[in-house]
Each structure stands twice: as structure tokens, then as C-alpha cells.
């Protein structure tokens, strides 16, 4: 008995030590557990332009519900919808009249519930757009505020203004601040005989977040929609929520000139040091996160995510993630690839742009990559059509979350919209000679489903915006049927994102020379390498100099136009790239 016992213990020790030895030699990485949003494939839907189900020329909720299968097939796991709430549409839904109601032309609450139901069945998360900075000037809240209803009197930022020395009895605005869509940010209201602040259009009065009632009301709005079963919010124009505090006489500090433009009406004429990026805004985002987490805890749901829109300096933006003691936004959007790169981009610019996010991020947070949205020119047009696959590859292979704006998977181009057809306030508030600089209509044209008239978006003769060029080629039906297409490349990228190497793997990236950019992801013995030539000439690269662990790799995905054979072997010490060629290479086995 004693003998058996001793042998058993001895054997156990040997086995254990062998196991330990093995583990030490191979240093096997164990997959960390990640929350759903950390490895999500986000997709932004601009509801007005996605799919029209009732033939009025305007996209709607039933249109989205009908097309959820498409998103599922594409591999999208979460989608955020631009505003669907009741609105006079002065800023196409970003001017909300009633935060609790659905815009009629988009559908009913029942339609919304159906959408949520189908999305849940398909396992697609639904995220709505929360617009806290302002409401519509047609909202009940604003009307009551104009009428000085005691509950609403201070819901907005009202000021008397300054006596006009040239026009006795008249008032001048309390500061030189400019609105996002041109001209003064202060609008005189004849009924209340005061100015109100609007950082965007005149029809979008700014809510007053120094009034705790406003904070509480907006928290209520958040809870209402979380209760409806949504999975989170994208939050609009976050850096604008607070302005600097007023002087006791109701005036404010003037903002200094930026020197960026000579046009005194243009928002960029001033540096927005008093109307944006205030410290109070960070705390408000932490407060929203608290509301989200509280809801999740009480109802024991999956994580409800907070994605925030921030065009702000890096040190300020990073604070939104939270700090050691407090959680902030799950993802403050990273717009650096949009704001820092254009069609002239080099591999070095790409590296710099990535450097301005990844190493700046507080530890244990998730990165994210965005190349377009409903406010910016189309990625294909902005970077150049020859680089759309490069950019889609980049956002999918870099570590973290990737966000697609509808149509990027197709390589959709900017629409060409005449002054007469222009409807965006950012364009309309200018004039026929400069509107193209400001209008966002070109990136909002209807989604391209097929090659028929109006691209299968609507049965109406004239949709709300005209079709973009080349929709006859760049559409779902044609690109699905083609042997190779931007869409097919996009789809195979999403497929690859399911691999542990992209979900959890280490990363390294570098500009090998001026034109060639490389990202390497590794997980145990598995490697995924992205190599992209952003230049207009051929390149011959020996990657083993900077990435000594690389050897033989297999060609998995390539840009449209590449002549290399999928599945062929490529040696890392001798990679030949045609001009504008982009390749995704992997080890034989990919974890
Ligand atoms: C940012 C939104 O993305 C944009 O479309 C809108 O016009 C402004 N915020 C104002 O809400
Ligand atoms: Mg419709």
C-alpha cells in the first residue's frame, strides 16, 4: 500500500514537471475572455439612405429590418443607427423634436420593436444615436423654455446679450462664438427677448447641462431606450456639450481666431477653446456610463455600450475611456485615420496616425478604427479608389474594433450633388460657389443594392438624394455575383476576424519604407501579416530584417486588381508588390 502510494506520488510529480516544462518551452498563450463589443464588427446605418420599404423615396425601419439578413451574411455583429426619432429634419434627425418617439417617415414604435426582435434572433446588436447637446427648436421643451415655463426656463442657454452702441435698444450676441453650420452661435428670440446658444443649426438650440434637471431628463431618455432592448448608444457631438462658464453679467470670453480660414462665417475661423473640450464633459460621460452599468446590473443583461463622437485632441479624447477608478465610454471613436490622412497618404503617415492612438490609449482599453461616416466624404473618394481595400484591410487587421460606414464594403463613391439638389444645412447655409466644401450630401446618397434604376433602394421615381456615380457596378448584387469585388474582399476580412490571432493576438506595425506599410498579428505559432503598398510604383521587400520570425506565408486575401494567386506561397524575404498592391498573408494554420 505504502509502495503504491509512493509510486503514485512520484509518477504524478514526473507528469507534472513534464507538463510544466512543456508549458515553459512553448509559452502557449491562453485566449483571454473578451466582452461582445471588444471583438465586434460595427456597421453604421444612415437610416434615411439604407433601404426604403414603402416607396416614399426615404429609407425606413422596415427597410433596415428587411436587410438585417444581408448584414448577418456579411458578418456584421453590431450596427449603429443615425437618429430615428421624431424630428423636423432641419439636420436630418440630429434636431430631435421628441426624444421618445419614432419619426413617422421612418416607421412606428411597433416597427422599431420588430427590428429589435429580428436583430436579436440574428444575434446582431442594435445601437441608437443619442443626441444630448441640443434638441429641435420645435420640441416641447424648447417651446416651454421660450415661454419661461418654470420647469423648462433654464433648459437651454439663454442670455440677454450686450447693448449695441450703434443701435440703441438693440442687443449684440454675448460672445463672438460661431455655429457649426456658419454664422453666429447666438440667435435672438423675439418672444423671450434673449439670445439662445446653438452650436449647430439655428434649429438646434443647445441644452443647458449646468442645469441638473437637464442631466436627469437625458438620463431618463437613455434608460427609456435601454429598456426597449437596445445594446447601447453612439453619442453625438460630445465635446460640445459644455461651454465655458458665463461671467455673472451673462457674457462670455471670445474665442481667438484660428488662422485656418479668412471666412469669418465659417466655424473654423475660431479656435473653439471655450465651446468645446471642457473638463465637465468628461465627468458627464462617466455619469452616462454609470447609468449604462446600473441598467446592466439591475436587469442582468449583456454589456450596454457607450460609443462617443469626439473630434478632439488626443489627450482629451483618451480621458473619455475612464481612469483607474472610473469607467468612461467603452469606445471614444478614433477618427485619426479620417482627419490625418488623405489621397496623398504615405506608409509613414499611416504609421504616425496609428501611433497617435494605440500607444496613447490607457492600458486595458480597446482600440477602434473608423474610416468614414455620414459627415465625411466617402472613403473611396477621399483616399482614392485604388486604396479602399487597403483601408478596409487596415481597420480589420489592426487590434481592436472596426467600424464600417454603410457602403464602404462596396467601395461606394461620393455622390455628385448640384447646388439646387443640396439639402444638408452645412451646405445650404453657404452659397452656390462654396457649398461643396461644406455639404455632407455626397456621402449620404442611397445605398446601392443592385444595378436597376435607383439601385434597388426605392421604387419612387426620385429618391431623397440622387444615386452616386458607378452604382451600376458598385452594388450588392453585382459585387456578390462577381468573381472578385470589394465586397468579397470585405467579407473574407470579416471571416478572418473570427480567428483568435486577430481577436487576441499580439501586434507589431511599421512603415517599411515610404510606401509600404505592414501589420503583423501573432498568436502562438499563428501569424497574419498585412502588407500594403500605398505607392504608385513596384516594391521589393525583405521583411525578415524587421520581422525576423517571418518565413513562408500563404496568400489569403488580396486587393482587387492584384494578379497574385490566392493560396500561393510567398517568402517573407522576397515580397514583390505591384503598385497599390495590398496582401493579407498567413501561416499554413491560422488559429
Ligand atoms: C454630429 C453628427 O454626426 C452630425 O451629422 C450632426 O450634424 C451634428 N453632430 C449635430 O448634431
Ligand atoms: Mg420609406
Amino acid at each position: 500500500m505504502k509502495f503504491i502510494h509512493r509510486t503514485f506520488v512520484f509518477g504524478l510529480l514526473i507528469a507534472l514537471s513534464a507538463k510544466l516544462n512543456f508549458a515553459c518551452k512553448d509559452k502557449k498563450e491562453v485566449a483571454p475572455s473578451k466582452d461582445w463589443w471588444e471583438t465586434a464588427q460595427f456597421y453604421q446605418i444612415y437610416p434615411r439612405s439604407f433601404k426604403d420599404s414603402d416607396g416614399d423615396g426615404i429609407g425606413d425601419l422596415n427597410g433596415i429590418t428587411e436587410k438585417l439578413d444581408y448584414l448577418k451574411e456579411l458578418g456584421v455583429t453590431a450596427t449603429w443607427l443615425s437618429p430615428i426619432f421624431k424630428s423636423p429634419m432641419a439636420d436630418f434627425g440630429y434636431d430631435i423634436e421628441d426624444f421618445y418617439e419614432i419619426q413617422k417617415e421612418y416607421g412606428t414604435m411597433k416597427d422599431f420593436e420588430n427590428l429589435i426582435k429580428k436583430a436579436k434572433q440574428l444575434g446582431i446588436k442594435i445601437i441608437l444615436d443619442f443626441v444630448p447637446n441640443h434638441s429641435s427648436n420645435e420640441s416641447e421643451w424648447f417651446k416651454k423654455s421660450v415661454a419661461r415655463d418654470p420647469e423648462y426656463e433654464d433648459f437651454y442657454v439663454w442670455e440677454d446679450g450686450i447693448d449695441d452702441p450703434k443701435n440703441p435698444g438693440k442687443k449684440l450676441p454675448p460672445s463672438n462664438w460661431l455655429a457649426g453650420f456658419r454664422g453666429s452661435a447666438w440667435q435672438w428670440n423675439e418672444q423671450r427677448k434673449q439670445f439662445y446658444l446653438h452650436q449647430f443649426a439655428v434649429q438646434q438650440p443647445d441644452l443647458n447641462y449646468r442645469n441638473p434637471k437637464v442631466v436627469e431628463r437625458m438620463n431618463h431618455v437613455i434608460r427609456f431606450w435601454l429598456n426597449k432592448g437596445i445594446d447601447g448608444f453612439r453619442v453625438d457631438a460630445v465635446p460640445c456639450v459644455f461651454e465655458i462658464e458665463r461671467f455673472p453679467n451673462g457674457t462670455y470670453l471670445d474665442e481667438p481666431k484660428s488662422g485656418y480660414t479668412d471666412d469669418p462665417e465659417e466655424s473654423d475661423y475660431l479656435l473653439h477653446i471655450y465651446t468645446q473640450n471642457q473638463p465637465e464633459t468628461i465627468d458627464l460621460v462617466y455619469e452616462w456610463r454609470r447609468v449604462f452599468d446600473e441598467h446592466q446590473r439591475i436587469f442582468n443583461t449583456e454589456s450596454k455600450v457607450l460609443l462617443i463622437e469626439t473630434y478632439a485632441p488626443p489627450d482629451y479624447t483618451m480621458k473619455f475611456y475612464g481612469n483607474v477608478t472610473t469607467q468612461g465610454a467603452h469606445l471614444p471613436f478614433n477618427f485619426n485615420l479620417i482627419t490625418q490622412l488623405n489621397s496623398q497618404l504615405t506608409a509613414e503617415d499611416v504609421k504616425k496616425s496609428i501611433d497617435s492612438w494605440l500607444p496613447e490609449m490607457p492600458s486595458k482599453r480597446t482600440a477602434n478604427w473608423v474610416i468614414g461616416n455620414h459627415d465625411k466624404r466617402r472613403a473611396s473618394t477621399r483616399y482614392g479608389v485604388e486604396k479602399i481595400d487597403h483601408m478596409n484591410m487596415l481597420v480589420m487587421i489592426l487590434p481592436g474594433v472596426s467600424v464600417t460606414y454603410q457602403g464602404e464594403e462596396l467601395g461606394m463613391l461620393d455622390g455628385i450633388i448640384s447646388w439646387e439638389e443640396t439639402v444638408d444645412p452645412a451646405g445650404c447655409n453657404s452659397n452656390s460657389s462654396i457649398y461643396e466644401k461644406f455639404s455632407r450630401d455626397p456621402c449620404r446618397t442611397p445605398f446601392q443594392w443592385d444595378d436597376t434604376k435607383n439601385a434597388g433602394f426605392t421604387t419612387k421615381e426620385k429618391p431623397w438624394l440622387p444615386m452616386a456615380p458607378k452604382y451600376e457596378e458598385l452594388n450588392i448584387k453585382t459585387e456578390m455575383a462577381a468573381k472578385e469585388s470589394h465586397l468579397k474582399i470585405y467579407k473574407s476580412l470579416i471571416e478572418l476576424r473570427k480567428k483568435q490571432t486577430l481577436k487576441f493576438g499580439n501586434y507589431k506595425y511599421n512603415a517599411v519604407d515610404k510606401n509600404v506599410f505592414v501589420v503583423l498579428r501573432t498568436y502562438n505559432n499563428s501569424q497574419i501579416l498585412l502588407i500594403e503598398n500605398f505607392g504608385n510604383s513596384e516594391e521589393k521587400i525583405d521583411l525578415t530584417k524587421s520581422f525576423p520570425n517571418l518565413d513562408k506565408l500563404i496568400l489569403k486575401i488580396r486587393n482587387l486588381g492584384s494578379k497574385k494567386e490566392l493560396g500561393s506561397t510567398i517568402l517573407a524575404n522576397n515580397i514583390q508588390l505591384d503598385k497599390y498592391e495590398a496582401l493579407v498573408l498567413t501561416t499554413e494554420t491560422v488559429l
Side-chain angles (χ1 to χ4, degrees), residues 370-385:
V370 190
I371 53 170
N373 58 41
H374 64 294
D375 293 330
K376 300 291 169 193
R377 291 314 181 95
R378 282 266 170 205
S380 258
T381 310
R382 204 164 1 95
Y383 303 116
V385 233

Side-chain angles (χ1 to χ4, degrees), residues 51-60 105:
K51 171 72 186 163
D52 175 20
S53 72
D54 58 2
D56 65 354
I58 293 169
D60 43 52
E105 61 195 348

Side-chain angles (χ1 to χ4, degrees), residues 265-278:
E265 297 282 296
E266 200 182 317
S267 161
D268 269 0
Y269 187 69
L270 299 177
L271 279 181
H272 301 297
I273 57 173
Y274 302 133
T275 51
Q276 291 183 18
N277 310 341
Q278 301 303 302

Side-chain angles (χ1 to χ4, degrees), residues 91 94 134 181 200 204 234 236-237 309 374-375 440 444:
D91 188 19
Y94 283 96
H134 43 265
F181 305 145
F200 294 92
Q204 292 165 298
R234 172 265 188 189
D236 183 66
E309 188 200 32
H374 64 294
D375 293 330
R440 299 164 298 176
R444 298 175 176 180

